[in-house]
Amino acid sequence: MNRYPVWKYAIIVIVLLVGLIYSLPNFFGEAPAVQVSAAKSTVKVDSATQGRVEEALKTAGLTPDLLTLEGGSLRARFATPDEQLKARDTLQRALVPDPSDPPYVVALNLVSRSPAWLTSLHAFPMYLGLDLRGGVDFLLQVDMKGAIDKKAESFASDLRTTFRDKGIRGTSVSRNGQTVEVSFRDAAALQTAKQLIQDQFPDLTTTETQDGSNWRLTATIKPEAARRLQDAALKQNITTLHNRINELGVAEPVIQQQGLDRIVVQLPGVQDTAKAKDILGRTATLEMRLVDESAEGRAAELSGGPVPFGSEKFLERNGRPVIVKKQVLVTGESLTDAQPGFDQQSNQPKVDLTMDAKGGRIMRDVSRENYKKRMAMLIFEKGKGEVLTAPSINGELGNRFQISGSMTVAEAADLALLLRAGSLAAPMEIIQERTIGPTLGADNIEKGFKSVMYGFLAIMVFMCAYYALFGLFSSIALAVNLMLLVAILSMLQATLTLPGIAAMALAIGVAIDSNVLINERVREELRNGASAQAAIHAGYDRAWGTILDSNVTTLIAGIALLAFGSGPVRGFAVVHCIGIVTSMFSAVFFSRGLVNFWYGNKKKLKSVSIGTVWRPKTDGTAVAEGK
Amino acid sequence: MEFFRIHKTIPFMRHALVLNIISFATFALAVFFLLHRGLHLSVEFTGGTVMEVAYQQSADIGKVREAVSKLGYPEVQVQSYGTSRDVQIRLPAQKGMNSDQQSAQVMQALKTVDPSATQRGIEVVGPQVGDELTTNGLKALGMVVVGIMIYLAVRFEWKFAVATVLANLHDVVIILGFFAFFQWEFSLAVLAAVLAVLGYSVNESVVIFDRVRENFRRYRKMSTVGIIDNAITSTISRTIITHGSTQLVVLSMFFFGGPTLHYFALALTIGICFGIYSSCFVAAAIAMWLGIKREDLIKGTPAKRDGDSEDDPNAGAVV
């Protein structure tokens, strides 16, 4: 009656083994390590890099106890922080010969101390959230309206060029919010233009209006195109952030999309918020425009006269005004690289720029038409523009050209960084920021761990005292539950946060419910005079329905939390939901396995060790029957 | 060991009316405090800046408050956080200044008073994030309620679903009432705790209703009241032990979990206490007032379909 077939025991053993292996890495703690990752998109960290690293370490007399290559970064683990620092310096020398142009980022890091055989089984420890190890956490909001406005502006300028090229005369193109308006002198021109837009600009839809002798065409960006645009803008911003953060040399940064227009950035170990914000906060977009060299423009620039129509005034970093045409020639999207260097002839610092094909073509046309005129490079931060530099064009430019002039070496490096990383597709703003000190993180993890441990111990003592052997079985089931929970979280590579630990503690409390239900049921059956084996059987059987119902309802709450929660609530919900599922397995299937293993083979079982089964004096069914 | 040596079915439902009036009064009181005082929402909801500052010796809260309010903040909260050496400062969002400048300014002011002040952490939240959290919180609450109602209506019967959900909302509102009355900080973690209580307390009602259904099958001649009383009596030992165990863990969180888990554990504690009470008296009583019958739960038994206003013919006098 209370026997499991062999295959059920086999499942239990397999689950236990897997659970053990995957929860193990969490218990080894962390060891100092050095992380090597690529600083440029052109550089790859691969097995060749691994060879170089191994060799460099060997010549320096250092042997890492583990060297792993994973997801484009290489980690070497060392026994002591001392060796770690030595290794960092060695690798820095070997891999980064020129500090002004680093191909690799060599950063200090911590990796799990778990042995190599566990790592080779892909058993990794859980990732600790920032609240448990300290660091900075930013939530960035991407200005999608800004992205679409900008795209509309670029459509407007494209239309202008196209109409000119195709010889459609007498048009005037202007951007009105997110739409582009074109007016025509006659209906024939409108029809030609409409046809042209349909053929060449599939992302636009047009509507025509006529008022008097004025023909007008309104071009709107199609909704699906706008969505694609937003998606692309977000992706590009994430890439840009990756580049910027790489410059910080942070080990294991997290840069993730959240929702439709938000990006989460977590920088573990960074305590200097100001520095991090400085790098991130260069939420800038780069634009190249011509300087307005007309008489009015010059006048406005020199003596502060009115800014001519079609131009805008921006300030240079030293405060000098520059009058710039509104039309954008090229944006940062077309810029593929910017490197600081030295001009061979004048021996002055310079910045080398590389454009993509489209940008290069525009630069060639623009430079030919505007020889000896000035071109401004503007950077926009939070909607406000600033002129980075406004050099004059000294020749025909291609897709590679240089900026030189009165710059120091540091300024050139700075400008190169800004130009290179400045190509955000849409402006961003930090809307939430959290810093957790490393001691606070350590405190949190210790306190969280303690509360789980003491809670667990208290329950275990009570269960064993109250339910005797069955209580012990329940306690073992509870421990298994905890182990499986940790194992699943590790397998999912979930991030453990303080609310996650709280959910773990709560899971212990909730998981014991199933065991209590079962044990009480078994006692009740015994009280009603059932035989030992029958009582066990009926206890588990009858409790099952109740356990299922109550756990499903709890699970519904957990899933709602998961669906609508964010941040800490989500961290809580993940553990809560998994905890409910593992508790069903451990409390019902596993604990029954234990009981069956212990009692199942005893044919003439007289009594069950489940604590006192109190019977009322009158008759065995007094409680159940009422008076 | 055996704590519960109950000879007779305890007539819980005899006191249902009085207790329901009491719980309605508590409920009304909680709603009153919620409306009157409102919740003391954490920075996650309101937006603003929270700084945690550590001192080498015990911090003088008064001096800290003075130093910060000199900077021109009309409303600034300073409280000790965890230990007497750690201080938490809450600043409302200020126009014309970003969080960076804000915190730098505050730290500078604090260091002139006591140079041992060090910044342990800072949290800055924009107001639009808070609005979203509030709507998402309400959505989550709505989804939990609807989800549970559907599940219970399918597995049991709509009367049970209504009773359970009402009982649970009663718990939730009372927890919120406590937080409003004492002006404890309502953070995201507390929200998580409240929603967890919702799931957890349903658990409780489900166990009792499960027993009610079973009793309807087993004792064909018992009255509805008798069956509910019997169901509560025979599950009371499990109820108390389960809640006791959960409370043990929650207490462990309360005492050892540190300040971050403090209110989380507190919300759970209130939820557990009221969860026991509400599932026995509120959920069961509402189900009773809604008039649950044997036929509601045991489908397929040849019960009389016509004349459903009549008493169940099988339900005799209480034995």
Side-chain angles (χ1 to χ4, degrees):
Chain A
M1 173 187 261
N2 291 319
R3 273 187 228 174
Y4 264 176
V6 178
W7 65 270
K8 280 193 177 177
Y9 283 118
I11 288 178
I12 289 177
V13 171
I14 290 168
V15 169
L16 283 186
L17 266 177
V18 172
L20 193 68
I21 287 172
Y22 284 89
S23 57
L24 257 183
N26 294 291
F27 301 106
F28 285 99
E30 289 184 318
V34 175
Q35 174 177 300
V36 177
S37 50
K40 293 187 203 169
S41 46
T42 48
V43 175
K44 276 208 171 66
V45 175
D46 50 18
S47 47
T49 324
Q50 184 169 352
R52 280 176 69 189
V53 167
E54 273 169 1
E55 193 148 323
L57 290 175
K58 210 172 174 185
T59 42
L62 292 161
T63 36
D65 49 283
L66 189 68
L67 196 66
T68 49
L69 179 66
E70 189 208 340
S73 79
L74 188 76
R75 285 171 210 167
R77 194 174 76 187
F78 297 95
T80 61
D82 197 37
E83 278 181 47
Q84 177 199 27
L85 291 175
K86 264 190 217 154
R88 199 259 313 257
D89 295 340
T90 310
L91 292 179
Q92 185 82 33
R93 268 198 305 277
L95 296 174
V96 188
D98 177 11
S100 66
D101 177 27
Y104 299 100
V105 175
V106 182
L108 296 180
N109 198 358
L110 288 171
V111 299
S112 168
R113 227 182 259 277
S114 65
W117 65 271
L118 275 177
T119 313
S120 68
L121 284 171
H122 283 274
F124 303 112
M126 270 181 276
Y127 189 83
L128 291 184
L130 282 189
D131 54 351
L132 298 181
R133 57 174 177 171
V136 247
D137 172 314
F138 293 108
L139 185 61
L140 298 152
Q141 172 94 43
V142 181
D143 178 10
M144 286 304 179
K145 194 184 158 291
I148 295 182
D149 280 356
K150 247 180 68 179
K151 193 69 188 176
E153 185 66 55
S154 95
F155 272 130
S157 96
D158 284 357
L159 284 177
R160 231 173 260 135
T161 334
T162 318
F163 291 157
R164 200 178 50 216
D165 289 355
K166 297 283 170 186
I168 302 173
R169 299 284 158 199
T171 58
S172 100
V173 182
S174 65
R175 175 175 72 92
N176 182 13
Q178 302 190 348
T179 59
V180 180
E181 289 181 355
V182 195
S183 59
F184 301 89
R185 265 192 235 138
D186 54 79
L190 185 142
Q191 286 311 322
T192 330
K194 193 179 168 188
Q195 195 57 47
L196 200 66
I197 293 176
Q198 266 177 18
D199 291 347
Q200 296 200 357
F201 297 90
D203 287 349
L204 295 174
T205 53
T206 52
T207 46
E208 47 189 290
T209 46
Q210 185 195 1
D211 105 65
S213 60
N214 204 3
W215 282 270
R216 197 185 285 275
L217 199 59
T218 310
T220 324
I221 300 173
K222 286 179 185 165
E224 65 264 27
R227 216 170 312 133
R228 188 153 29 82
L229 202 74
Q230 292 189 353
D231 206 39
L234 199 75
K235 294 269 146 58
Q236 194 190 335
N237 278 11
I238 289 178
T239 318
T240 309
L241 282 174
H242 262 294
N243 291 337
R244 286 184 184 172
I245 289 163
N246 252 338
E247 309 273 346
L248 272 173
V250 179
E252 288 184 32
V254 175
I255 304 161
Q256 277 171 347
Q257 177 175 351
Q258 187 176 80
L260 289 173
D261 56 357
R262 293 211 175 131
I263 300 170
V264 177
V265 175
Q266 295 190 332
L267 308 174
V270 173
Q271 292 304 320
D272 188 354
T273 337
K275 173 89 194 278
K277 264 171 129 173
D278 197 37
I279 301 279
L280 282 189
R282 289 177 186 161
T283 46
T285 50
L286 186 75
E287 288 178 5
M288 293 191 197
R289 306 192 195 174
L290 280 176
V291 174
D292 188 349
E293 310 247 23
S294 64
E296 300 97 314
R298 298 291 301 174
E301 195 169 307
L302 294 170
S303 55
V307 177
F309 183 73
S311 295
E312 283 177 284
K313 184 164 122 178
F314 290 104
L315 296 181
E316 235 176 309
R317 285 214 216 165
N318 52 23
R320 255 206 341 251
V322 179
I323 308 297
V324 178
K325 290 189 173 163
K326 272 190 177 163
Q327 191 194 350
V328 179
L329 303 173
V330 189
T331 65
E333 284 173 56
S334 302
L335 189 75
T336 52
D337 198 16
Q339 292 296 335
F342 272 101
D343 192 357
Q344 296 294 327
Q345 286 153 11
S346 62
N347 213 21
Q348 272 186 330
K350 62 164 186 174
V351 177
D352 285 310
L353 301 175
T354 314
M355 290 282 197
D356 62 9
K358 183 182 145 214
R361 202 165 52 238
I362 296 170
M363 289 313 290
R364 195 157 43 243
D365 292 350
V366 169
S367 58
R368 205 180 292 145
E369 288 167 27
N370 298 284
Y371 182 61
K372 285 292 175 193
K373 288 183 181 165
R374 288 198 295 157
M375 187 181 65
M377 303 203 173
L378 294 144
I379 192 150
F380 285 84
E381 282 178 274
K382 287 182 183 168
K384 280 209 292 193
E386 191 185 39
V387 177
L388 282 177
T389 175
S392 49
I393 300 166
N394 292 326
E396 192 180 311
L397 308 177
N399 63 338
R400 295 171 69 89
F401 56 99
Q402 67 178 53
I403 303 170
S404 56
S406 48
M407 277 191 289
T408 63
V409 179
E411 274 169 1
D414 210 24
L415 181 64
L417 169 58
L418 281 171
L419 290 172
R420 186 167 23 146
S423 52
L424 280 179
M428 289 191 296
E429 208 184 334
I430 296 175
I431 52 169
Q432 185 180 325
E433 161 197 344
R434 265 187 342 144
T435 310
I436 298 103
T439 48
L440 190 61
D443 265 16
N444 281 345
I445 202 168
E446 195 205 322
K447 283 176 175 157
F449 180 70
K450 263 191 189 163
S451 62
V452 173
M453 192 178 67
Y454 290 134
F456 181 76
L457 284 179
I459 287 194
M460 209 168 112
V461 168
F462 172 78
M463 290 303 277
C464 291
Y466 197 76
Y467 292 118
L469 190 60
F470 265 71
L472 183 67
F473 291 153
S474 302
S475 303
I476 296 172
L478 203 58
V480 166
N481 180 34
L482 208 53
M483 184 184 85
L484 290 180
L485 185 55
V486 171
I488 290 180
L489 288 171
S490 305
M491 274 185 217
L492 295 175
Q493 282 288 286
T495 304
L496 188 68
T497 57
L498 192 61
I501 297 184
M504 233 180 239
L506 191 65
I508 296 174
V510 175
I512 206 66
D513 178 43
S514 310
N515 284 303
V516 173
L517 268 170
I518 293 165
N519 294 352
E520 283 294 313
R521 232 1 196 309
V522 174
R523 273 191 181 182
E524 204 179 315
E525 295 297 327
L526 290 171
R527 187 177 301 138
N528 292 348
S531 77
Q533 294 284 16
I536 294 173
H537 188 75
Y540 272 94
D541 256 19
R542 297 240 170 105
W544 166 241
T546 316
I547 292 169
L548 187 69
D549 280 337
S550 65
N551 278 324
V552 168
T553 48
T554 317
L555 203 57
I556 289 173
I559 289 170
L561 280 179
L562 204 57
F564 294 108
S566 64
V569 175
R570 231 188 149 78
F572 174 83
V574 170
V575 182
H576 193 57
C577 288
I578 297 173
I580 293 165
V581 176
T582 52
S583 87
M584 299 248 263
F585 172 84
S586 62
V588 181
F589 189 71
F590 174 75
S591 89
R592 177 141 206 208
L594 276 182
V595 171
N596 285 356
F597 188 74
W598 193 262
Y599 285 121
N601 290 324
K602 296 178 181 161
K603 277 204 178 115
K604 283 176 185 161
L605 187 63
K606 284 267 160 53
S607 70
V608 181
S609 170
I610 194 166
T612 328
V613 178
W614 167 83
R615 288 193 175 84
K617 275 177 195 140
T618 44
D619 79 321
T621 52
V623 169
E625 290 285 336
K627 55 184 152 177
Chain B
M1 259 200 283
E2 170 66 73
F3 294 153
F4 306 94
R5 309 192 168 204
I6 305 164
H7 290 268
K8 290 173 184 169
T9 299
I10 306 165
F12 287 99
M13 287 302 116
R14 192 182 290 167
H15 312 290
L17 189 62
V18 182
L19 286 165
N20 280 8
I21 290 167
I22 293 174
S23 49
F24 186 77
T26 340
F27 183 83
L29 217 58
V31 172
F32 170 75
F33 283 124
L34 266 177
L35 295 177
H36 181 62
R37 294 200 184 190
L39 288 170
H40 171 50
L41 293 171
S42 73
V43 69
E44 291 138 338
F45 294 99
T46 58
T49 306
V50 173
M51 299 174 66
E52 277 161 36
V53 181
Y55 286 89
Q56 239 137 52
Q57 273 92 37
S58 288
D60 185 341
I61 304 265
K63 273 190 185 164
V64 173
R65 186 173 291 130
E66 199 184 275
V68 180
S69 54
K70 264 189 198 157
L71 296 172
Y73 290 98
E75 211 186 314
V76 62
Q77 281 177 30
V78 180
Q79 61 195 74
S80 61
Y81 186 75
T83 69
S84 64
R85 291 196 302 269
D86 296 317
V87 178
Q88 194 184 51
I89 303 166
R90 290 167 60 105
L91 307 168
Q94 216 181 28
K95 273 195 181 158
M97 252 180 133
N98 65 26
S99 57
D100 225 13
Q101 291 162 322
Q102 252 186 336
S103 57
Q105 196 192 26
V106 170
M107 275 320 290
Q108 203 187 356
L110 292 181
K111 282 207 167 158
T112 44
V113 179
D114 184 347
S116 77
T118 47
Q119 186 174 317
R120 292 237 298 173
I122 178 172
E123 189 170 349
V124 182
V125 185
Q128 72 268 46
V129 184
D131 287 346
E132 261 177 45
L133 285 180
T134 315
T135 37
N136 280 344
L138 290 175
K139 270 187 203 163
L141 192 69
M143 191 177 144
V144 173
V145 168
V146 171
I148 287 173
M149 277 189 93
I150 292 173
Y151 181 78
L152 290 183
V154 170
R155 280 284 290 178
F156 292 87
E157 215 255 337
W158 69 267
K159 286 170 192 164
F160 281 127
V162 171
T164 307
V165 167
L166 282 178
N168 279 307
L169 287 178
H170 162 268
D171 294 352
V172 167
V173 170
I174 284 176
I175 298 177
L176 295 182
F178 267 92
F179 273 79
F181 181 77
F182 291 104
Q183 288 290 301
W184 292 329
E185 188 177 73
F186 190 84
S187 63
L188 267 183
V190 176
L191 178 72
V194 167
L195 291 169
V197 163
L198 202 53
Y200 178 71
S201 148
V202 177
N203 210 337
E204 202 50 52
S205 314
V206 166
V207 171
I208 291 175
F209 287 155
D210 222 48
R211 195 53 89 94
V212 168
R213 178 168 57 188
E214 194 183 315
N215 281 357
F216 269 130
R217 278 199 194 110
R218 211 196 277 174
Y219 311 114
R220 306 196 139 262
K221 288 190 176 163
M222 209 184 271
S223 74
T224 304
V225 173
I227 276 183
I228 293 175
D229 283 343
N230 181 293
I232 299 177
T233 308
S234 48
T235 52
I236 196 83
S237 55
R238 171 262 157 201
T239 303
I240 291 174
I241 290 171
T242 297
H243 284 294
S245 323
T246 313
Q247 187 62 65
L248 274 181
V249 179
V250 172
L251 280 181
S252 163
M253 260 192 271
F254 186 82
F255 288 116
F256 306 110
T260 325
L261 292 183
H262 189 85
Y263 287 122
F264 176 81
L266 202 57
L268 284 176
T269 301
I270 303 168
I272 290 171
C273 293
F274 278 89
I276 303 184
Y277 164 80
S278 77
S279 42
C280 291
F281 294 108
V282 183
I286 292 174
M288 185 177 79
W289 303 135
L290 285 173
I292 44 160
K293 292 191 298 289
R294 175 165 291 120
E295 296 85 64
D296 291 339
L297 289 169
I298 302 161
K299 279 144 199 156
T301 43
K304 279 184 186 171
R305 284 274 162 203
D306 48 324
D308 39 326
S309 63
E310 281 175 27
D311 278 348
D312 182 5
N314 290 327
V318 182
V319 188

